[in-house]
Amino acid sequence: MSLSFNPDTVTVPSGHHIGGRFIDLPGEEIAVLRPSDVQPMRPITDGGKAAVDMAVAAAKSALATSSWARMNPRDRAKALFRFAERIEEKAEYLGRLEAMGSSRLVAGTITGDAVRTASVVRYFAEYCDKLEGIVTATKGDTLSYTRREPYGIAGAIVPWNFPMITAAWKFAPALAAGNAVVMKTSELTPHSLLALAECAAEAGLPGGLINVVNGWGHTTGAAIVSHPEIGIVSFTGSTATGAAVMSLAAQSGIKPVVLELGGKSPQIVTRNPGDMDAVATRVANGFMVNAGQVCTLASRLIVDSAVADELTDRVIAKTKAIKAGPTWDEATTFAPVISAKQFERIDALVQETVKQGAEVMTGATRLEGPNEGNFYAPTVLANVSRDNVGFSEEYFGPVMSVTTYDEIEQAIAEAQHPTYGLSASVHTQDLKLAMKVADAVEAGMVWVNQHGRDPEFTYAAGGWKGSGFGKDMGRAGIEEFTRQKAVWINYL
């Protein structure tokens, strides 16, 4: 059965989702365009402070009337299991909605993104009765223990590149820990998150536990960060916006923030990397997946000079083998850039990189596709010096620079970035060398013989330095949404 579909036949949700139902609110209308053909989808309105206030009120009511934080943890888990089941039941609809409204390909959204979103909910549901405290050593006749408790209402602001999965990384652990959630969609890709909120309502989650509001970052997003009754904020996006979120959170009452931000992730390929074609496939996918619109994008290839020419030639050949097209066509292998504005930003940065001395090995131009979408050709650059803007700035597009080295110490030094430290990878058959690189590279995540996360949930995702702090996924991902309370009992 083909996964391809006609986007004009897909029902698109409307409004904000607050208190378990869709609500239309007044506000500036924001156009939403399909990236593949720049045709309009259902518009949204900027909810601003009014929508956030309404969502917070709904969240408070839901926590009070359902006793969500205080109920038997297994009952909370059962409710989340029903939520996960409903997501799976609607995986085809959710996957189509995600594909038509974002740069995600339908070849991966139905069987991948939607199903994985359900799996994230199920994973954290299993944590409901596993948030344990500890008893600490004391003198006799006293008891000292710590316990983890929810913040109450968690705020979440999610990006446009992986709308469903990134949102689930936030709302699933927050709900499992006993919080309610107020979440802002990206104004570029709002609809699949609204549909997820409706899945929660259909699964019987108390209305108001998960609220999804639409709007601009500087209005609706700022209202979430600054709201006095939102106890914690989790944000995924650019480093510059993350800094603004952290500043606003501090100015509006001091609240913790979890930030997963930008990156300039290196791939190190050693002299003995294994099957060269397989390595070239991994390297190429590392910077072309989702048209390069990935925070962990492998934008810097650092390769041993002994294999550099062969590997680079193979990677460039793979950039020529792509099929650009609409995201709703199963045969498409290369996605459009999310918007004309993002296309212009990528191209301007590439052209400035070349102006400052870089050499274009392939790409650096518009890729003509079968429709009106903004497709940027996979681009490989050489001679990108460390003082070049192409080294310092994140492209967030399908662009990779190539640097060679002779000794592994040179590769490790080249891999370090003064601003970013999100992820890195090394491709090698030498386990000792792999461990040396993993130990030395300044990054929150390091992969060996792959680049990017597997669909696993147990290990935490997050960066160092300007790539943020705090973690998504794993045990750390749910503990971010709890605060510790220490209790001292003198029982004499």
Side-chain angles (χ1 to χ4, degrees):
M1 177 181 174
S2 174
L3 296 176
S4 301
F5 67 97
N6 180 350
D8 295 328
T9 64
V10 179
T11 302
V12 179
S14 174
H16 309 270
H17 203 283
I18 298 174
R21 61 192 179 94
F22 287 110
I23 295 178
D24 289 323
L25 295 174
E28 177 190 351
E29 185 173 281
I30 302 172
V32 181
L33 304 178
R34 300 191 305 222
S36 292
D37 60 3
V38 202
Q39 292 302 301
M41 296 178 68
R42 193 181 293 272
I44 58 173
T45 59
D46 182 21
K49 184 177 184 299
V52 173
D53 286 345
M54 183 180 292
V56 168
K60 288 177 61 180
S61 177
L63 289 172
T65 57
S66 69
S67 299
W68 180 254
R70 295 184 176 276
M71 69 171 56
N72 185 316
R74 293 307 300 171
D75 291 336
R76 194 159 65 240
K78 289 177 183 177
L80 292 175
F81 285 138
R82 292 194 300 269
F83 183 16
E85 289 166 4
R86 187 57 179 156
I87 294 171
E88 288 177 333
E89 290 167 357
K90 298 183 73 171
E92 183 175 358
Y93 168 64
L94 291 167
R96 288 180 172 183
L97 196 59
E98 185 90 327
M100 65 186 283
S102 75
S103 56
R104 303 290 297 137
L105 301 179
V106 71
T109 57
I110 296 174
T111 59
D113 295 27
V115 172
R116 192 182 300 183
T117 295
S119 297
V120 172
V121 175
R122 187 171 284 110
Y123 172 80
F124 282 112
E126 288 286 1
Y127 258 110
C128 287
D129 62 354
K130 299 174 183 65
L131 288 171
E132 300 168 340
I134 60 171
V135 175
T136 65
T138 65
K139 64 179 181 179
D141 304 328
T142 60
L143 172 65
S144 173
Y145 66 91
T146 64
R147 59 182 295 169
R148 290 191 173 273
E149 296 185 358
Y151 283 92
I153 303 175
I157 302 173
V158 300
W160 47 260
N161 55 339
F162 292 87
M164 284 196 295
I165 291 175
T166 309
W169 284 13
K170 301 179 188 307
F171 69 70
L175 292 170
N179 300 280
V181 180
V182 176
M183 180 166 57
K184 189 191 91 67
T185 66
S186 166
E187 65 277 6
L188 296 172
T189 57
H191 298 110
S192 57
L193 271 63
L194 294 167
L196 279 178
E198 182 67 1
C199 286
E202 293 168 348
L205 252 68
L209 282 185
I210 179 168
N211 304 278
V212 176
V213 295
N214 305 308
W216 302 112
H218 66 277
T219 52
T220 307
I224 288 175
V225 176
S226 60
H227 200 288
E229 293 183 276
I230 291 179
I232 183 172
V233 174
S234 180
F235 169 82
T236 298
S238 72
T239 296
T241 305
V245 167
M246 185 166 61
S247 176
L248 183 58
Q251 294 170 29
S252 55
I254 307 296
K255 67 185 67 174
V257 294
V258 178
L259 303 176
E260 201 273 344
L261 308 176
K264 288 287 288 186
S265 300
Q267 294 193 84
I268 295 176
V269 178
T270 68
R271 187 166 302 187
N272 179 28
D275 182 275
M276 191 62 76
D277 192 63
V279 174
T281 297
R282 295 198 300 262
V283 169
N285 289 341
F287 84 97
M288 291 196 301
V289 66
N290 205 33
Q293 298 163 118
V294 185
C295 56
T296 56
L297 181 77
S299 59
R300 296 188 292 139
L301 173 61
I302 304 169
V303 55
D304 191 295
S305 57
V307 298
D309 289 344
E310 179 185 359
L311 179 62
T312 303
D313 288 345
R314 287 177 180 266
V315 169
I316 291 175
K318 292 184 184 298
T319 71
K320 307 299 184 183
I322 60 173
K323 180 180 179 181
T327 52
W328 47 81
D329 185 344
E330 185 180 20
T332 296
T333 63
F334 188 74
V337 172
I338 192 68
S339 67
K341 180 179 178 180
Q342 179 65 11
F343 179 96
E344 291 164 2
R345 180 192 175 278
I346 295 168
D347 189 56
L349 186 53
V350 168
Q351 301 311 321
E352 182 62 24
T353 301
V354 173
K355 183 179 178 181
Q356 293 182 14
E359 173 192 350
V360 177
M361 304 182 77
T362 190
T365 186
R366 177 179 290 274
L367 182 66
E368 295 304 325
N371 49 37
E372 299 302 315
N374 293 286
F375 294 86
Y376 200 83
T379 299
V380 179
L381 305 173
N383 301 323
V384 180
S385 63
R386 293 181 72 88
D387 59 357
N388 190 308
V389 67
F391 175 84
S392 59
E393 296 296 324
E394 182 180 27
Y395 294 107
F396 219 71
V399 184
M400 181 181 71
S401 62
V402 180
T403 303
T404 62
Y405 71 92
D406 295 312
E407 302 295 335
I408 194 64
E409 289 75 17
Q410 293 174 292
I412 292 171
E414 184 64 27
Q416 318 296 16
H417 196 277
T419 302
Y420 297 110
L422 185 56
S423 65
S425 62
V426 55
H427 305 265
T428 184
Q429 296 299 294
D430 187 332
L431 180 59
K432 183 177 179 180
L433 207 57
M435 295 299 294
K436 181 175 182 177
V437 172
D439 286 348
V441 172
E442 297 173 352
M445 297 173 283
V446 180
W447 299 290
V448 178
N449 293 328
Q450 68 180 68
H451 191 95
R453 290 178 62 93
D454 280 341
E456 298 293 338
F457 314 114
T458 55
Y459 70 100
W464 290 7
K465 302 190 289 188
S467 294
F469 51 79
K471 299 294 182 182
D472 290 319
M473 295 308 299
R475 175 178 288 274
I478 190 169
E479 289 181 348
E480 294 286 1
F481 291 98
T482 66
R483 48 189 174 181
Q484 284 193 319
K485 176 183 286 183
V487 179
W488 180 280
I489 302 173
N490 185 334
Y491 53 83
L492 272 187

